[in-house]
């Protein structure tokens, strides 16, 4: 990705005309059904302002992970952006599959943003499809989408232009919008920016008004993807204010927080500005990334949120704090300030070395309890460990032979939270022995850095399902990037959790975790490794 330090100052704000925007939204009001745009805002069919707070979920690559929709909702989200494929690059999601996704979203009281991913990086990535092909896919789903305008937003194509001639984005975007409208689709349409969604050359910003004016219904919202290009507060606030000041609808359709090789996104400003301006945001992504640094949940497990996931769901201006359920589901009752009653003190059962099942007496609420948040109490602090829409949950990912204290909060759709329940104390069981061996090698070194890989071999007779590898560096080395697993480091001690594709080690089999590390003059290999608390042989 090419960085431009002048990023967003290249485009004059005058190209976004508030007067024209108002005219378009006014005409759009006449045809509005369900979710629609008015005066630069996304509204529900009843006129209630709706601010998206949610995440992206890679359904097309993980079609068996539909439980994720319930898990995302249980953590407080009101929206999920679902990755689909139109058949150009990946196998097309069938009409019945898309209908099931919509049904699952509705069952879990989520607004569903559906997007075609095959268009990603068109013009630069030779495998990418066109917006016209994506539009044909949506038209082919017309019968599935009909009547779902209250619940579904159609995101025509993900990041539909790369960095090659991004000015070419405008005409195909207009043509795709008009093709969908001519086919009779009345849903709110979402369009992604060029430059792999980040618009660092300002093409979407410069042409937003003409694109918006091309939609005869006025029900169009722009989506900016914010990654390492947006690494300063000024870049973020300038871009978002440009659209808001012009009364053109916009949201942050994808964003990341962890640093990558191109920079360190300023997610704190993104989330704070979105909250200040009442704009939607959808974090990338729930789980299953090839590079797991962007996984919000490890291996699709809502009780194993990464630091990125904790930031999004439970941090300042995060989902738990700011999301309000769509009123089409009965949520967000105007004036509802009454918190639910305090849930009962949880009881523990089915305690193992790494998990425990908790149950508690349900809370009550004047409107309705939307879910429960389970926290671990440690001294004077607490941390979220699980969420549930029922009064029971299994907490996983615990450490063997460790004492824990858990408590529960109830919350309603308006975001009101109960007092904390009483606590239950649990000590996990001893870890079963895991016969294992570990091979560690340095693949290459350079001044200040090195690449290594770790081979974990299961020398036992039963498969290992889920694991935690721990080792320590002696010379101040640090892991800066990892694939095949997710690393957390405290001092010299490194703990590694598996990626989804390395979480199972078959009997007699092995998995490999690779990483990039930083080092000083000395780079001694770790002397010992434990897998699930059991010392492993070294090879």
């Amino acid at each position: 990705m090419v960085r431009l330090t002048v990023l967003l100052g290249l485009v004059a704000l005058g190209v976004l005309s508030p007067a024209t925007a108002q005219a378009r939204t006014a005409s759009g009001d006449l045809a509005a059904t369900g979710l629609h745009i008015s005066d630069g805002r996304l509204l529900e069919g009843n006129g209630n302002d709706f601010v998206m707070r949610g995440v992206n979920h890679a359904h097309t690559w993980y079609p068996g992970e539909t439980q994720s929709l319930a898990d995302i909702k249980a953590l407080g989200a009101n929206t999920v952006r679902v990755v689909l494929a139109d058949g150009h690059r990946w196998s097309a999601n069938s009409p019945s599959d898309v209908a099931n996704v919509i049904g699952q979203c509705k069952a879990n009281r989520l607004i569903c943003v559906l997007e075609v991913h095959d268009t990603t990086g068109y013009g630069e990535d030779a495998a990418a499809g066109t917006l016209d092909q994506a539009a044909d896919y949506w038209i082919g789903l017309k019968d599935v989408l009909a009547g779902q305008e209250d619940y579904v937003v159609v995101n025509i194509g993900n990041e539909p232009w790369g960095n090659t001639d991004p000015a070419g984005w405008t005409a195909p975007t207009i043509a795709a919008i008009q093709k969908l409208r001519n086919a009779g689709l009345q849903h709110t349409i979402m369009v992604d920016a060029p430059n792999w969604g980040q618009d660092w050359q300002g093409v979407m910003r410069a042409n937003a008004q003409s694109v918006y004016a091309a939609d005869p219904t006025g029900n169009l919202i722009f989506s900016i993807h914010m990654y390492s290009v947006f690494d300063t507060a000024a870049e973020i606030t300038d871009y978002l204010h440009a659209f808001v000041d012009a009364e053109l609808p916009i949201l942050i359709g994808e964003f990341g927080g962890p640093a990558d090789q191109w920079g360190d996104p300023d997610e704190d400003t993104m989330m704070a500005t979105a909250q200040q301006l009442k704009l939607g945001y959808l974090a990338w992504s729930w789980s299953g990334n090839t590079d797991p640094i962007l996984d919000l949940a490890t291996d699709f497990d809502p009780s194993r949120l990464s630091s990125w996931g904790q930031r999004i769901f439970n941090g300042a201006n995060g989902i738990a704090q700011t999301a309000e359920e769509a009123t089409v589901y009965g949520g967000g009752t105007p004036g509802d300030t009454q918190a639910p009653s305090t849930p009962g003190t949880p009881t523990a059962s089915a305690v193992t070395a790494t998990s425990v099942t908790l149950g508690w007496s349900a809370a009550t609420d004047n409107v309705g309890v939307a879910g429960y948040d389970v926290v671990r109490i440690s001294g004077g602090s607490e941390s979220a460990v699980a969420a549930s829409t029922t009064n029971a949950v299994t907490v996983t990912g615990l450490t063997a032979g460790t004492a824990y204290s858990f408590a529960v909060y109830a919350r309603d759709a308006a975001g009101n939270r109960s007092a904390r329940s009483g606590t239950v104390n649990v000590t996990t069981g001893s870890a079963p022995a895991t016969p294992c061996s570990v091979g560690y090698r340095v693949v290459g070194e350079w001044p200040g850095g090195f690449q290594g890989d770790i081979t974990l071999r299961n020398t036992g007779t039963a498969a290992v399902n889920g694991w935690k590898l721990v080792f320590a560096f002696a010379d101040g080395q640090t892991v800066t990037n990892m694939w095949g697993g997710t690393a957390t480091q405290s001092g010299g001690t490194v703990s590694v959790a598996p990626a989804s594709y390395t979480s199972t080690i078959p009997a007699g089999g092995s998995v490999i975790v690779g990483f990039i590390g930083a080092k000083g003059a000395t780079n001694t290999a770790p002397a010992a490794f434990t897998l699930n608390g059991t010392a492993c042989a070294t090879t």
Side-chain angles (χ1 to χ4, degrees):
M1 186 182 297
V2 179
R3 274 197 48 80
L4 292 183
T5 56
V6 293
L7 182 62
L8 304 172
L10 297 176
V11 183
L13 201 59
V15 299
L16 304 176
S17 165
T20 311
Q22 288 175 333
R24 296 299 308 144
T25 53
S27 65
D29 285 346
L30 299 176
T33 57
L35 290 161
H36 63 283
I37 303 298
S38 180
D39 294 330
R41 305 292 304 168
L42 177 64
L43 306 182
E44 294 187 70
N46 63 2
N48 186 70
D49 198 70
F50 182 69
V51 180
M52 292 185 184
R53 288 285 183 269
V55 304
N56 289 262
H57 172 54
H59 172 73
T60 199
W61 303 309
Y62 301 98
E65 296 291 346
T66 53
Q67 172 62 32
S68 294
L69 299 177
D71 294 336
I72 290 165
K73 174 62 179 183
L75 288 165
N78 63 21
T79 305
V80 64
R81 181 172 179 257
V82 180
V83 177
L84 301 177
D86 65 8
H88 179 84
R89 184 168 186 176
W90 295 284
S91 297
N93 293 93
S94 67
S96 61
D97 182 47
V98 176
N100 180 58
V101 167
I102 295 172
Q104 292 278 347
C105 283
K106 292 168 69 175
N108 288 290
R109 304 161 72 93
L110 290 163
I111 296 301
C112 208
V113 178
L114 303 176
E115 61 102 341
V116 162
H117 217 75
D118 306 66
T119 57
T120 306
Y122 179 80
E124 187 172 348
D125 188 335
T130 66
L131 281 169
D132 187 64
Q133 291 165 329
D136 286 339
Y137 175 73
W138 294 120
I139 293 169
L141 292 173
K142 183 178 177 181
D143 290 344
V144 172
L145 298 172
Q148 304 300 329
E149 292 86 354
D150 279 312
Y151 310 98
V152 172
V153 172
V154 175
N155 190 175
I156 304 178
N158 181 70
E159 300 179 1
W161 213 276
N163 291 326
T164 303
D165 186 28
W169 166 90
T170 305
T173 298
I174 289 174
I177 293 165
Q178 294 179 337
K179 190 171 192 176
L180 294 181
R181 294 309 188 205
N182 290 338
L185 271 74
Q186 295 296 311
H187 304 71
T188 292
I189 289 175
M190 185 181 294
V191 294
D192 285 7
N195 295 126
W196 300 87
Q198 296 200 79
D199 202 28
W200 57 263
Q201 289 179 291
V203 171
M204 185 172 82
R205 180 171 169 174
N207 292 280
Q209 185 56 65
S210 62
V211 172
Y212 186 81
D215 183 353
T217 72
N219 294 327
L220 183 78
I221 188 168
F222 296 94
S223 174
I224 182 68
H225 292 185
M226 290 186 166
Y227 292 99
S228 51
V229 165
F230 291 90
D231 57 0
T232 70
E235 291 164 341
I236 295 160
T237 57
D238 179 61
Y239 196 94
L240 296 177
H241 274 281
F243 281 78
V244 171
D245 291 348
E247 295 188 2
L248 284 168
I250 191 167
L251 84 160
I252 307 174
E254 285 184 22
F255 69 106
D260 57 30
Q261 61 265 47
W262 295 291
D264 187 2
D266 183 0
E267 70 275 16
D268 290 343
T269 297
M270 296 176 202
M271 296 168 71
T273 305
Q275 180 65 10
Q276 175 195 3
L277 298 177
K278 297 183 179 180
L279 302 180
Y281 66 64
L282 302 170
W284 186 273
S285 86
W286 178 241
S287 198
N289 288 285
T290 304
D291 181 352
I293 193 172
L294 283 172
D295 279 358
L296 296 158
T298 302
D299 199 25
F300 296 94
D301 186 343
S303 71
R304 298 168 63 196
L305 293 182
S306 65
S307 57
W308 174 225
Q310 290 286 1
R311 174 69 188 90
I312 288 299
F313 286 104
N314 300 314
N317 300 303
I319 287 172
Q321 186 183 95
T322 66
E324 294 186 10
E325 186 177 88
T327 59
V328 71
Y329 297 121
T333 303
D336 179 15
T337 60
Q338 181 174 323
S341 65
T342 306
T345 299
T347 58
S349 62
V351 181
T352 71
T354 59
S355 66
V356 60
T357 297
L358 301 175
W360 55 88
S361 299
T364 59
D365 185 66
N366 63 316
V367 176
V369 174
Y372 298 90
D373 301 317
V374 179
V375 295
R376 178 188 179 185
I377 311 300
S378 180
S381 64
E382 63 180 48
S383 57
V385 294
S388 176
T389 55
T390 67
N391 58 322
V393 72
T394 298
V395 181
T396 61
L398 305 179
T399 301
T402 303
Y404 291 88
S405 293
F406 297 107
V408 182
Y409 292 93
R411 52 181 161 76
D412 64 20
N416 301 308
R417 204 181 197 198
S418 73
R420 193 173 77 191
S421 74
T423 59
V424 60
N425 298 319
V426 179
T427 299
T428 51
S430 300
T434 304
C436 55
S437 67
V438 174
Y440 177 95
R441 69 180 183 127
V442 173
V443 178
E445 289 190 76
W446 54 91
F450 69 106
Q451 179 178 340
D453 65 38
I454 304 169
T455 301
L456 290 72
R457 180 169 296 278
N458 177 4
T459 58
T461 58
V464 175
N465 294 303
W467 48 264
K468 179 180 179 182
L469 178 72
V470 179
F471 60 91
F473 286 122
D475 302 318
Q477 302 100 315
T478 57
V479 175
T480 59
N481 190 25
M482 179 171 279
W483 51 97
T486 302
T488 56
Q489 187 164 350
S490 177
T493 301
V494 180
S495 299
V496 181
S500 58
Y501 56 91
T502 61
S503 62
T504 299
I505 313 176
S510 62
V511 296
I512 297 177
V513 175
F515 67 93
I516 301 296
K519 68 175 185 69
T522 307
N523 189 18
T524 307
F529 299 84
T530 62
L531 189 68
N532 292 342
T534 301
C536 297
T538 55
T539 60

